């Protein structure tokens, strides 16, 4: 499917307006995804609101209310009309998947108490491994030696990154692994239980059904884990407006993912996700001055290389590399003032030009770097004193 998408984009480029829109949706998803992660880390570690389960409850309560409002006032949730939601389907699909989703969110927020954002993103490179192993366990996919060797490479890279982590925490590592496993099980269960054409749900419709179940589950967990230690004064310390903004950003991440899926191909989304993780590591290092060892850098590079190969395959890597080489070579020849051999014919036929998918990716990368650097600078500038109080990166605030 990814190869077909690239071929269609090369043969029939989209209109300029469509390209601009696609770049906007890609940049929006990158922005809200990374901003949500950085925002959560900042609130939990730097604003003193060290209640990850309660924070997750707040996100889900906000999502429940917001999806109910959107369902009644917009067309964003019209996809729910194509879902045959019976009581049996709700008990077999929504409840167990919602519980897994809740467990995944809790673990993903708990890990911010123990690990740096950069190291968390490195560990997340193992997520495709968990999904593939769960798919094999459920019989959704047939085991393959080639894929098994590929995931061993990713695991080896993540293991190196873990060994190279200076501030390693076993509790944080286990929480992150738990979050990855719960999320993998949720995705596979969705594929198994909701695989029919009439039962497919986009992320926003899924949130419409899962959020109430997750909210109830998280309230129960919060009562048993954080209720006794919760101090209402910490709400004011974190800031009511800041908590509201945090929930809105988390919800906008779900909305942006819906539009991203509808506007781009699977290949573009996969490459965007890899780029997003790299940018997040860079931004988190800039904000929190996280130390990255050479062993950690090597391990993450190996894991990313394995992830790229796992996601798009060797053929697509070669095709994109060749297209970029032809494009770079043509630019070099034009700078020298001597057109490359057959340059006029290439200009007439359109050969030698970079595929539109790659051009959009490059433009999207530049735009994403610019936006995230500005956002990171704003957060760092506004919270440098508070961050420094926790991490020694500045003078404490009064």
């Amino acid at each position: 499917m990814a190869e077909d998408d690239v071929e269609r984009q090369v043969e029939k480029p989209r209109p300029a307006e469509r390209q601009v829109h696609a770049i906007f949706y890609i940049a929006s998803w990158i922005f809200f995804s990374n901003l949500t992660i950085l925002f959560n880390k900042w609130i939990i570690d730097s604003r003193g609101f060290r209640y990850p389960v309660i924070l997750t409850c707040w996100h889900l309560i906000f999502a429940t209310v917001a999806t109910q409002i959107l369902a009644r006032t917009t067309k964003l949730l019209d996809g729910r009309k194509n879902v045959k939601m019976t009581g049996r389907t709700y008990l077999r699909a929504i409840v167990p998947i919602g519980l897994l989703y809740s467990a995944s969110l809790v673990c993903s927020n708990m890990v911010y108490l123990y690990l740096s954002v950069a190291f968390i993103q490195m560990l997340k490179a193992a997520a495709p491994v968990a999904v593939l192993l769960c798919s094999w366990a459920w019989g959704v996919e047939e085991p393959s030696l080639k894929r098994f060797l590929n995931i061993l490479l990713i695991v080896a890279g993540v293991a190196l990154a873990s060994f190279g982590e200076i501030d390693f925490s076993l509790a944080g590592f286990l929480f992150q692994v738990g979050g990855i496993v719960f999320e993998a099980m949720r995705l596979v269960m969705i594929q198994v239980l909701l695989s029919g054409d009439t039962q497919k749900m986009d992320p926003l419709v899924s949130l419409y059904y899962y959020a109430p179940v997750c909210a109830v589950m998280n309230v129960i967990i919060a009562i048993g884990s954080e209720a006794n230690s919760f101090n209402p004064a910490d709400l004011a310390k974190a800031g009511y407006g800041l908590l509201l903004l945090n929930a809105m950003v988390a919800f906008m991440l779900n909305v942006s993912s819906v539009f991203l899926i509808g506007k781009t191909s699977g290949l573009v989304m996969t490459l965007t996700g890899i780029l997003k993780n790299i940018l997040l590591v860079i931004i988190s290092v800039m904000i929190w001055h996280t130390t990255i060892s050479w062993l950690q850098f090597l391990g993450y590079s190996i894991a990313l290389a394995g992830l790229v190969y796992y996601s798009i395959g060797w053929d697509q890597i070669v095709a994109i590399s060749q297209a970029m080489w032809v494009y770079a070579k043509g630019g070099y020849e034009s700078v020298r003032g001597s057109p490359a051999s057959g340059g006029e014919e290439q200009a007439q036929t359109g050969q030698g030009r970079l595929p539109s998918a790659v051009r959009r990716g490059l433009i999207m990368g530049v735009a994403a770097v610019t936006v995230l650097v500005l956002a990171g600078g704003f957060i760092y500038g506004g919270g440098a004193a508070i961050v420094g109080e926790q991490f020694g990166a500045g003078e404490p605030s009064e």
Side-chain angles (χ1 to χ4, degrees), residues 212-229:
V213 177
C214 295
V216 172
M217 181 63 184
N218 276 28
V219 168
I220 296 175
I221 296 176
I223 292 175
S225 61
E226 296 180 350
N228 292 333
S229 61

Side-chain angles (χ1 to χ4, degrees), residues 12 54 98 184 220 234 291 340 344 355 364 378:
K12 299 179 181 179
I54 293 178
I220 296 175
D234 289 335
T291 302
E344 294 182 359
M364 172 269 297
F378 173 76

Side-chain angles (χ1 to χ4, degrees), residues 76-396:
L76 291 176
L77 284 156
D78 284 354
R80 75 188 192 284
K81 298 176 182 177
N82 298 325
V83 179
K84 296 180 179 178
M85 188 56 62
T86 62
R88 186 166 181 251
T89 301
Y90 192 86
L91 290 176
R92 291 184 60 224
I94 300 302
V95 172
I97 294 175
L99 295 179
L100 289 172
Y101 186 39
S102 176
S104 173
L105 291 175
V106 170
C107 288
S108 297
N109 280 342
M110 287 289 292
V111 74
Y112 293 129
L113 295 173
Y114 304 95
L115 302 178
S116 66
V117 174
F119 186 45
I120 291 171
Q121 294 309 118
M122 294 179 186
L123 293 178
K124 284 184 178 180
V129 175
V131 174
L132 185 61
L133 293 178
C134 287
S135 299
W136 289 351
W138 256 271
V140 175
E141 292 191 19
E142 292 294 329
S144 166
L145 178 60
K146 183 178 179 181
R147 283 195 169 187
F148 180 71
L149 295 176
N150 190 182
I151 65 176
L152 283 182
L153 179 64
I154 299 175
V155 170
V158 173
L160 273 179
S162 300
F163 289 137
E165 171 64 15
I166 297 175
D167 298 321
F168 182 83
S169 168
L170 180 60
F173 178 82
L174 293 177
F175 273 122
Q176 184 58 56
V177 171
I180 291 174
V181 172
F182 286 134
E183 180 64 11
M185 293 173 63
R186 183 181 78 90
L187 294 176
V188 173
M189 285 191 67
I190 289 176
Q191 185 176 353
V192 172
L193 298 176
L194 304 176
S195 58
D197 292 336
T198 59
Q199 293 295 91
K200 291 182 179 179
M201 295 187 287
D202 62 53
L204 199 56
V205 174
S206 300
L207 190 65
Y208 173 84
Y209 286 111
Y210 299 148
V213 177
C214 295
V216 172
M217 181 63 184
N218 276 28
V219 168
I220 296 175
I221 296 176
I223 292 175
S225 61
E226 296 180 350
N228 292 333
S229 61
F230 176 69
N231 183 1
D234 289 335
L235 290 173
K237 182 180 178 182
Y240 296 106
L242 197 63
L243 290 173
L244 177 61
L245 181 61
N246 178 245
M248 292 174 65
V249 169
F251 181 72
M252 285 303 300
L253 171 60
N254 289 281
V255 176
S256 62
S257 67
V258 173
F259 286 102
L260 177 66
I261 292 172
K263 291 292 182 178
T264 64
S265 66
L267 173 62
V268 174
M269 186 171 184
T270 299
L271 294 175
T272 301
I274 296 172
L275 174 63
K276 176 186 73 70
N277 290 338
I278 296 174
L279 291 176
L280 184 57
V281 171
I282 296 173
I283 295 297
S284 64
V285 170
M286 290 173 57
I287 297 175
W288 284 286
H289 304 285
T290 306
T291 302
I292 303 295
S293 67
W294 281 106
L295 185 61
Q296 200 173 8
F297 177 80
L298 175 62
Y300 188 46
S301 300
I302 293 174
L304 284 178
L307 182 58
V308 171
Y309 181 79
Y310 174 86
S311 302
I312 65 179
W314 179 252
D315 293 338
Q316 286 302 312
I317 294 176
V318 172
I320 293 175
S321 300
Q322 289 176 344
M324 294 183 69
W325 166 251
V326 171
Y327 183 77
K329 184 179 179 181
Y332 173 71
E333 294 293 344
S334 64
V335 170
R336 291 183 58 189
S338 57
S341 176
E344 294 182 359
E345 295 180 1
Q346 288 182 355
Q348 294 175 357
T349 60
Q351 296 178 357
R353 296 184 61 189
L354 202 62
S356 59
V358 180
R359 293 200 305 272
R360 287 202 308 273
L362 293 174
I363 297 174
M364 172 269 297
V366 174
V369 169
T370 303
V371 171
L372 284 173
V373 168
L374 291 175
F378 173 76
I379 295 176
Y380 176 68
I386 302 174
V387 172
E389 189 175 358
Q390 296 290 331
F391 295 91
E395 294 297 327

